[in-house]
Amino acid sequence: MKKQCMVILVENNAGVLARVSSLFMQRGFNIDSLTVSSTENPKISRITVMTTGDQKNFSQILKQTAKLIETKMIFSVEPSFSLIRELLLVKFSAKRDDAEALKGIIEDFDAGIIDVTNGCFVVELSASSQKIDDFLEATKGFEQIEMCRSGAIAMEKGIVAYDING
Amino acid sequence: MILNGSEILVNVLLEQGVDTVFGYPGGAVLNIYDALYKYSDKIHHYMTAHEQGAAHAADGYARSTGKTGVVIATSGPGATNLVTGIATAYMDSVPMVAITGNVSTPLIGCDSFQEVYITGITMPITKHNFVVRKVDDLADTLREAFRIASSGRPGPVLVDVPKDVTADRTTYTPAPKADTHERTTEVVGNVEEIAELINRAERPFVYFGGGVRLSGASEELRKLLLTADIPAAYTLMAAGALRYGEKHNLGLMGMHGCYSANCAANRADVMIAIGTRFSDRVALNTNKFGHNAKIVHIDIDSGEINKNVIADYSIVGDVKAVLNRLMRYIKPATHDEWFAKIEKWREEDYRPEDSETHLRPHQVIETACEIAGEDAIFVTDVGQHQMWAAQYLHHVKPLSFLTSGGLGTMGYGYGAAIGAQIANPDVPVVHFTSDGSLHMNMNEICTAVSYKVPVITVILNNAVLGMVRQWQGVFYGRRFSSSEPERVTDYVKVAEAFGGTGYRCKTPAEFEAAMRKALAAKGPVWIECEIDREEKVLPMIPAGGTVHDTIFN
């Protein structure tokens, strides 16, 4: 079992996300995370899916998703040629004796404190999935009051390899 | 010209060449039915007893003509009653457009009377579906639905139209019928290399399915088989694509297929799978199916390649176009040794014994087939009788065997037979069914009576759910749980009560006489045939097994 990031460019219609996620459920494909966003073309939405499976699963995901009428394009994203990012928000108590040590870790990870309210502060980190995992592991001893993270978004480096208008 | 949504809907149907629709009226489609009333000289609407029957009728109409079937139902229960019919069409790649009414747009999402989220419900069983929220979008959405339904690998498309959209008025601009086959000439794959593989094969074997029928590629297939001297066997969905008794036609393969055909599949060194999807009823054990062969998979749907069985080579494209391309490189060959081997296996093929005193299933099917004639259309329900029909119908034309192969829908047959008969008024339509399947949708006899549709229903009555009981007998120690219902239905009286005709037969002679009388009748006829409950569909390869596990008795 391997992790794989895929990008699906779909028509920006009502219900298109339901259609894609219904297909994944129907065929038993895994969704580890899923992000939908707008794109440079207002008629197109971009769905980024992180999935786990084997090569046969990945090949079926690519082909079955491509068959959806509203799918304009689907492709696998190879980490070595791409930027794959998630966003993390995590809340800590500012009243702890070891808050300074925590701030050191935040700096080491290039994360930022984006809010301080009622004795709590919120850290934001935009990074690869692995780096976010590492940060959460490193700050485990500091009482994470609340945590949430987004699914991945991904972009290949260099010239755009597709034409969504074509 | 300014028209309301319902008039636009009917005009788009006419644009698309539709002159026959099936359906059932109701609150949310009152406007549509008002337009159908107005255009009743141009579009014939057939009302069934139940929306499921209408969906199957549209399916039977489509399968027997190659045209797109159209079904209309109201919102809520009308729409949900279509679901089995749509799923049946989806699994067998039948072009269909289902039009459902819905509550008016301001009422959507309010749990209004007869409201259901039918596009959500049918998402996994349609090729695509639409909700039309503005009357301005209606015409183009319907056109797109027809284009999608019949393009590439065909399938059902549902268009949900809220009631206010059917009343709102807008400008209607006529358009020509959409070009539906833009992808049929595209062929993706190394055709030359694959042809070379076939030319070098010592024991080539063709395994073909519904794609040959959908593509109208019987002649192209025959040319390949004759030129390269290749034996071929078919799946349930492709019965009739080759003629019975042709040298290269080994017959049905799979779970209840010919032993010799399954042996050939097992021993082949090159297996060419054409327009088929390696379903679990044919490739029963995906690891061992065709394991001695290099597998070539030809299909229009790239999603089928490597889905169930890994192919060594593949070509994606319409079967007809692919075969035409392939033939450029195929060299004439002979495989006498290979055919001699197959002939040996044929000696071991299962052959049931005839009886003169009581009705045996194969005799019923063969007699009905012979009396109905070359042009007849045969429709089945699902279960033992369906397999017997597939095994013993010795002449069937490519579009003349209608059966629910993928979904296996009991209750499919009557609606489908009515649809097929309406599409083909001049040929006999024989509906093979069983006591189990007929009880699911027997109400459609009222439709056949109302419209004087002379479908002949041959009921193989063994008084049990034969296929369920057969499995219980073989795999569940003869514990016949809920498969012996002790029904006392009098089929002759039921047929007569609905205004049809019924006959009861116990011997081959009685059946032959009843068939001849039925053919002369102007309306629907039921012929009940008493069959022994111990009759089995043989041979049989158990699920997950191989040809070596074949059961002969």
Side-chain angles (χ1 to χ4, degrees):
Chain A
M1 298 285 264
K2 219 184 102 188
K3 275 197 177 304
Q4 181 67 51
C5 178
M6 293 185 190
V7 168
I8 312 164
L9 298 168
V10 294
E11 288 174 29
N12 182 14
N13 297 343
V16 65
L17 173 62
R19 226 178 272 284
V20 171
S21 53
S22 168
L23 173 72
F24 272 66
M25 283 295 286
Q26 179 191 349
R27 299 209 177 257
F29 306 146
N30 294 310
I31 299 179
D32 299 333
S33 78
L34 184 147
T35 308
V36 189
S37 74
S38 55
T39 65
E40 68 281 8
N41 180 340
K43 289 181 177 166
I44 301 292
S45 294
R46 185 167 174 128
I47 299 176
T48 312
V49 182
M50 294 296 297
T51 182
T52 306
D54 56 23
Q55 275 311 322
K56 191 186 163 200
N57 295 133
F58 299 155
S59 151
Q60 273 294 302
I61 292 173
L62 291 168
K63 292 195 265 193
Q64 298 295 349
T65 310
K67 274 162 63 178
L68 293 175
I69 302 296
E70 288 163 320
T71 299
K72 303 296 270 187
M73 175 165 282
I74 174 166
F75 53 91
S76 291
V77 175
E78 295 314 322
S80 49
F81 303 110
S82 315
L83 304 162
I84 305 177
R85 289 291 178 271
E86 290 178 22
L87 184 65
L88 170 76
L89 295 178
V90 55
K91 191 183 283 174
F92 297 98
S93 168
K95 292 175 185 158
R96 293 172 63 98
D97 298 340
D98 52 5
E100 283 310 311
L102 176 57
K103 283 177 185 164
I105 298 171
I106 293 167
E107 268 175 40
D108 290 346
F109 274 83
D110 286 329
I113 296 171
I114 56 169
D115 181 69
V116 183
T117 303
N118 295 339
C120 294
F121 63 90
V122 175
V123 175
E124 174 192 309
L125 174 60
S126 157
S128 69
S129 190
Q130 184 61 52
K131 190 172 172 186
I132 287 176
D133 289 346
D134 292 346
F135 177 78
L136 289 169
E137 183 62 31
T139 57
K140 219 164 144 187
F142 294 90
E143 193 193 351
Q144 298 163 359
I145 297 168
E146 197 179 352
M147 186 277 277
C148 61
R149 60 196 284 186
S150 71
I153 55 170
M155 186 173 279
E156 292 177 313
K157 297 174 187 172
I159 295 164
V160 176
Y162 61 86
D163 175 12
I164 49 180
N165 302 310
Chain B
M1 96 190 97
I2 304 284
L3 297 175
N4 72 26
S6 302
E7 293 162 335
I8 290 170
L9 187 150
V10 173
N11 272 288
V12 175
L13 292 180
L14 291 170
E15 262 176 27
Q16 301 299 320
V18 175
D19 59 10
T20 303
V21 298
F22 302 89
Y24 202 97
V29 288
L30 277 167
N31 293 318
I32 295 174
Y33 274 79
D34 199 42
L36 285 170
Y37 186 82
K38 194 171 155 188
Y39 288 82
S40 58
D41 57 328
K42 294 193 178 113
I43 289 196
H44 301 283
H45 174 270
Y46 292 88
M47 184 195 142
T48 53
H50 186 285
E51 287 89 350
Q52 186 185 348
H56 292 323
D59 174 311
Y61 182 92
R63 288 193 210 219
S64 64
T65 58
K67 292 196 271 187
T68 299
V70 179
V71 61
I72 302 172
T74 193
S75 62
T80 56
N81 281 345
L82 294 180
V83 168
T84 302
I86 294 172
T88 303
Y90 182 71
M91 288 292 271
D92 290 344
S93 308
V94 177
M96 180 190 288
V97 171
I99 298 165
T100 50
N102 210 334
V103 299
S104 289
T105 46
L107 293 172
I108 286 180
C110 304
D111 300 320
S112 308
F113 177 65
Q114 292 195 328
E115 182 192 355
V116 77
Y117 175 37
I118 194 63
T119 42
I121 291 170
T122 56
M123 218 170 252
I125 54 163
T126 50
K127 233 180 129 178
H128 194 57
N129 59 24
F130 298 93
V131 184
V132 183
R133 293 185 182 278
K134 296 193 302 271
V135 71
D136 294 327
D137 298 336
L138 181 60
D140 281 345
T141 303
L142 285 165
R143 288 167 186 144
E144 181 69 354
F146 276 90
R147 192 190 63 77
I148 292 169
S150 60
S151 297
R153 180 178 180 172
V157 178
L158 181 137
V159 183
D160 193 38
V161 192
K163 191 172 183 180
D164 50 345
V165 175
T166 67
D168 291 347
R169 299 171 73 80
T170 192
T171 306
Y172 165 71
T173 315
K177 189 177 174 185
D179 178 21
T180 53
H181 288 292
E182 75 257 34
R183 275 183 295 172
T184 51
T185 51
E186 195 185 323
V187 172
V188 182
N190 195 339
V191 177
E192 218 173 321
E193 187 188 354
I194 289 164
E196 193 45 44
L197 178 80
I198 296 169
N199 289 335
R200 282 200 315 264
E202 286 177 15
R203 299 183 308 278
F205 175 78
V206 163
Y207 141 52
F208 67 96
V212 171
R213 187 174 45 86
L214 288 166
S215 169
S218 289
E219 276 316 308
E220 287 74 10
L221 174 66
R222 185 171 290 116
K223 202 184 284 176
L224 169 68
L225 302 181
L226 290 176
T227 307
D229 199 30
I230 306 176
Y234 53 86
T235 72
L236 186 62
M237 300 314 298
L242 293 181
R243 279 188 292 276
Y244 183 78
E246 283 185 66
K247 175 194 168 192
H248 297 89
N249 183 1
L250 301 188
L252 182 72
M253 63 186 294
M255 182 175 271
H256 295 296
C258 295
Y259 174 72
S260 52
N262 287 330
C263 283
N266 189 52
R267 281 300 299 152
D269 65 349
V270 173
M271 175 186 279
I272 309 136
I274 306 178
T276 191
R277 58 188 177 86
F278 293 88
S279 96
D280 59 313
R281 284 298 181 269
V282 173
L284 293 117
N285 181 326
T286 50
N287 294 323
K288 292 184 181 157
F289 184 73
H291 63 114
N292 290 311
K294 289 276 182 212
I295 295 179
V296 177
H297 193 176
I298 298 169
D299 202 274
I300 196 165
D301 180 355
S302 70
E304 291 300 345
I305 312 293
N306 298 338
K307 186 182 82 178
N308 294 340
V309 166
I310 301 297
D312 299 287
Y313 302 86
S314 64
I315 309 177
V316 174
D318 181 70
V319 166
K320 194 175 202 158
V322 172
L323 290 179
N324 278 332
R325 185 80 65 88
L326 194 62
M327 279 313 290
R328 290 185 203 165
Y329 311 103
I330 292 291
K331 296 196 181 102
T334 51
H335 296 289
D336 294 340
E337 217 174 293
W338 177 221
F339 272 93
K341 194 171 236 162
I342 292 168
E343 208 47 53
K344 277 255 176 286
W345 288 319
R346 275 188 167 171
E347 288 165 17
E348 291 170 59
D349 271 340
Y350 175 79
R351 275 186 203 84
E353 282 173 24
D354 287 356
S355 164
E356 293 201 353
T357 54
H358 62 281
L359 285 166
R360 296 213 62 196
H362 70 281
Q363 283 175 282
V364 173
I365 305 287
E366 285 170 355
T367 306
C369 182
E370 196 185 310
I371 295 175
E374 292 284 329
D375 295 326
I377 294 172
F378 300 95
V379 187
T380 79
D381 268 297
V382 167
Q384 285 185 316
H385 74 274
Q386 175 190 29
M387 293 298 113
W388 287 320
Q391 290 174 328
Y392 302 116
L393 278 174
H394 291 167
H395 63 76
V396 177
K397 290 189 172 172
L399 297 181
S400 299
F401 184 65
L402 282 48
T403 193
S404 169
L407 197 67
T409 306
M410 287 175 73
Y412 165 78
Y414 214 174
I418 290 168
Q421 183 77 81
I422 286 166
N424 303 273
D426 301 325
V427 306
V429 173
V430 180
H431 164 218
F432 290 111
T433 186
S434 60
D435 47 311
S437 284
L438 185 63
H439 270 96
M440 290 220 172
N441 276 340
M442 58 161 64
N443 49 357
E444 292 306 338
I445 188 174
C446 70
T447 312
V449 169
S450 299
Y451 296 104
K452 298 185 174 57
V453 178
V455 169
I456 301 169
T457 295
V458 177
I459 309 160
L460 280 79
N461 180 12
N462 56 4
V464 294
L465 302 183
M467 191 59 99
V468 171
R469 193 175 178 280
Q470 177 172 339
W471 281 57
Q472 289 169 335
V474 179
F475 306 114
Y476 292 85
R478 293 182 68 85
R479 293 184 296 281
F480 298 126
S481 178
S482 292
S483 59
E484 298 182 334
E486 305 289 345
R487 288 173 181 152
V488 295
T489 309
D490 184 327
Y491 296 95
V492 175
K493 279 189 188 163
V494 172
E496 286 170 355
F498 275 97
T501 309
Y503 301 116
R504 184 174 294 121
C505 315
K506 293 185 179 186
T507 66
E510 284 172 8
F511 177 66
E512 201 180 317
M515 265 306 287
R516 293 197 193 280
K517 276 192 277 184
L519 269 181
K522 295 274 178 261
V525 178
W526 285 8
I527 306 175
E528 180 193 359
C529 302
E530 280 189 20
I531 301 290
D532 191 300
R533 64 175 61 187
E534 296 302 331
E535 290 281 5
K536 289 189 183 67
V537 180
L538 294 170
M540 175 183 188
I541 303 177
T546 70
V547 68
H548 303 301
D549 307 311
T550 305
I551 298 168
F552 287 97
N553 52 51

